[in-house]
Structure formats: structure tokens, C-alpha cells
Amino acid sequence: MWGRRDMNDLLFELPLPEFFDLPACLEYMNRSPLECLFRSDGEGVTRLFMLEGTPSLVRLTVAAGTPRLQATLLTGAFPGPKPLAELAQYIVEWFDLERDLAPFYRLADADPLLQKLAASERGLRIIGIPDLFEALCWAILGQQVNLAFAYRLKQQLTAEYGKSLEYEGHTYYHFPGPETFLQVSMEELCSLQLTRSKARTLLDVAALIAGGELSREELLALPSPEAAEQRLLKIRGIGLWTSQYVRMRCLRDATAFPVGDVGLQNAVKFLTGMDRKPTPAELLALSVPWHGWEAYATFYLWRALY
DNA sequence: AGCCAGGGTAGGG
DNA sequence: CCCTACCATGGC
């Protein structure tokens, strides 16, 4: 029975924490029709994983009336215990399931800027990018371009270098690993509309990770998130925004606060009625009551823009 | 045409 | 530490 295709095998269930709302998460994940690394609808999300070298399509839903997140295998071979455990861990980090959000809502519910969002987005968690290379690439692609174009760049990069799988009329893509880029030239990447700066930084990051000189585990093992930030800042083309973004989306650091982020600035401008964008100093002053939850405040504020 | 976009670097105080 | 050019590409 295991291993048969298109059998919708239940892989595992994860107990849901308090304050988790899958539809709220899916709404965020649905913010761009150009997203190519997963496909979400009102019921759940489907993503292509490589399990023991086999492209495997996994769908996540919440079983009706239960506090459990179900992972279902749509196609692929039923994996062994180790890849199964790694997949479960990936999903825990993808949806930040181990975070206790009660302290965040205690402060957000009393905060003039966050109050409404904390109510309307109740149960939204920071959707992570657990893979360091993918997270860095997404941040690099998103530097100084509008989101629509960043998605287009990611789509072109993924379609060119990643694996894909057709299922029920949709194409699912898997983001290429860093080793894929060891033989790729800047010119090749520039032909996909990356600037030379983005291409060079992406290739440098790929070489570092593929060469074992940079890893998520190493960054998490450093004594503090600030130390991880310093490590990332050593890489040319990675500045403050990118390192804070990676802390927030990949290293699951709830205190990361990308004050240079235009989206954050525009959200605060909109919510406060300012006639200009707030300066980083003004954002830092605003964030004092959010201490410890700056990343969650940022993620919720982004929602005000949609 | 001109300004903006989920920035970064180099150069000069 | 700060501030200022300048870079580079697409969207509207």
C-alpha cells in the first residue's frame, strides 16, 4: 500500500498550538499569484518536497473540527522515518508552530498600531523560509525591487534551475539547491533579469553554503541573533535589511526588526496617517512596546498593506 | 517621464 | 557613528 501513487496517504498529524489559524496563514501565502514554491487555496497548501531524492507532493490541511495539521502525500513514495521527521520539522518551522503567541497578543491587543491587525489576523504566524539558501535568495531577489518583480525573478530562477512536477493540471516547483549554482555564470543569471549585484551575491552565497562555510545550523549555534547578523553582514551584497529579514523568516528570531523595510515604513505611514514614511529612528521608537516581538509586529503590519 | 520598489556599497565627513 | 551619491531594473 505505501508507495502507491495518488493515494492521498496521511503522512502525519501535528498538534496545533493555541492561536493558530490556517486560513489567516493561507491568506498571507496567497498574497501573490506569482508565488511558485507552493500553491495555496482556502483549504490548504501544497508544496513539492524532495524526500529521499524523490519529488513528493505534500498537502497540508486542518482536519475539520480537530486541532491538528494534517500532512498528506499526494504523489511520491511513502518516506522512511528520518525524512518523515525532517519533513515534520520543516513544517513546524514553516508555520512557526512552536511559538507561544499569548505574550504577543497581550501587548498587541493594547497597542494603538497593532490592535486592529491583532484582531483581524488572529492566529496568523510568521510564515518562515526554513531553508537558508532559499531565504537568502528570496531576500536578495527582493532587494530594491517591487514584490511583483521579485516574484517574477524567483519564478524564472526556479523554472530554470529547479525540479518540477505536474499534478492535476498544475506545475509544482522545488527551489534549486546551492550546489546547482556552482557551475552557473553571472551572465546566465543576468539573462534572467537579475542585476549584476544580485547575481554576484547569489553566486557567492551559493558557494559559501555548498562549500560548508555557511549554514543555518551554524548561524543558530552562534551565541546571539546579533552574532548571526554580523556573520551575514560579512557577505558582500548582504546588508542590514537582508540579514534582519533572514533572522525573521529563516532563523525564527522574533526580535528581528527590519527598520529599513519599505513595506514596514509604508504600513506605519498608512496606519498613523503620516504624510511621509517614518524614519528608522522613528520606527525604533515606535517598537519599544513591542520588545521581544518586533518580527511579529512587522509581519502583522505588512498585512495592513493588503 | 519620473518616481517608486520588502537595498547595498563606496566615499566622505 | 552619520550622511550622501550612485547603482540597477521593471512597473505604473
Side-chain angles (χ1 to χ4, degrees), chain A residues 262-272 301-305:
Chain A
V262 178
L264 174 64
Q265 294 168 3
N266 282 331
V268 169
K269 175 187 174 191
F270 172 71
L271 290 172
T272 59
L301 287 168
W302 281 347
R303 297 305 293 145
L305 297 174

Side-chain angles (χ1 to χ4, degrees), chain A residues 272-283:
Chain A
T272 59
M274 295 172 71
D275 60 352
R276 56 172 177 81
K277 286 183 293 207
T279 64
E282 288 171 324
L283 285 174

Side-chain angles (χ1 to χ4, degrees), chain A residues 41-302:
Chain A
D41 51 44
E43 302 292 314
V45 55
T46 306
R47 184 181 177 113
L48 181 60
F49 292 89
M50 297 299 289
L51 302 177
E52 296 173 314
T54 305
S56 308
L57 206 52
V58 176
R59 179 161 176 82
L60 299 178
T61 51
V62 170
T66 73
R68 291 192 299 274
L69 188 62
Q70 289 191 329
T72 307
L73 186 67
L74 300 183
T75 78
F78 201 94
K82 191 177 174 191
L84 201 56
E86 286 170 357
L87 175 65
Q89 184 58 29
Y90 182 98
I91 289 164
V92 165
E93 293 180 0
W94 194 10
F95 289 91
D96 203 21
L97 294 180
E98 286 179 345
R99 182 99 42 201
D100 175 14
L101 284 192
F104 171 64
Y105 287 129
R106 275 199 288 279
L107 72 84
D109 287 344
D111 188 274
L113 235 51
L114 297 176
Q115 204 166 40
K116 278 193 169 179
L117 290 163
S120 64
E121 304 291 329
R122 209 71 164 186
L124 170 68
R125 283 164 184 268
I126 292 183
I127 305 303
I129 307 175
D131 180 80
L132 178 64
F133 181 59
E134 185 192 322
L136 277 165
C137 285
W138 177 232
I140 292 162
L141 295 179
Q143 291 169 355
Q144 187 58 26
V145 299
N146 62 54
L147 265 181
F149 184 55
Y151 276 110
R152 195 176 310 287
L153 291 174
K154 181 168 82 164
Q155 203 278 331
Q156 296 183 130
L157 200 64
T158 305
E160 181 72 21
Y161 300 106
K163 295 186 187 311
S164 67
L165 182 148
E166 300 281 337
Y167 181 80
E168 292 187 348
H170 297 284
T171 306
Y172 295 86
Y173 293 95
H174 184 262
F175 195 72
E179 67 286 347
T180 309
F181 293 92
L182 293 178
Q183 306 300 330
V184 172
S185 68
M186 293 240 315
E187 289 66 31
E188 222 174 300
L189 292 182
C190 290
S191 73
L192 299 177
Q193 294 182 285
L194 277 75
T195 61
R196 296 189 69 78
S197 172
K198 283 190 199 308
R200 183 172 50 75
T201 307
L202 193 155
L203 291 179
D204 286 353
V205 165
L208 284 172
I209 295 179
E213 299 166 69
L214 178 68
S215 71
R216 182 174 193 265
E217 293 65 36
E218 163 209 327
L219 293 175
L220 288 173
L222 291 172
S224 69
E226 289 76 17
E229 181 171 307
Q230 291 307 311
R231 168 69 187 95
L232 291 171
L233 287 173
K234 286 181 188 167
I235 304 165
R236 191 160 52 149
I238 293 183
L240 209 50
W241 176 83
T242 302
S243 42
Q244 287 165 339
Y245 187 89
V246 168
R247 281 173 59 181
M248 173 177 169
R249 300 287 306 271
C250 182
L251 305 181
R252 294 191 307 137
D253 171 16
T255 69
F257 191 44
V259 286
D261 184 88
V262 178
L264 174 64
Q265 294 168 3
N266 282 331
V268 169
K269 175 187 174 191
F270 172 71
L271 290 172
T272 59
M274 295 172 71
D275 60 352
R276 56 172 177 81
K277 286 183 293 207
T279 64
E282 288 171 324
L283 285 174
L284 280 174
L286 265 181
S287 74
V288 170
W290 309 336
H291 180 65
W293 294 93
E294 292 87 343
Y296 261 88
T298 299
F299 204 72
Y300 273 60
L301 287 168
W302 281 347

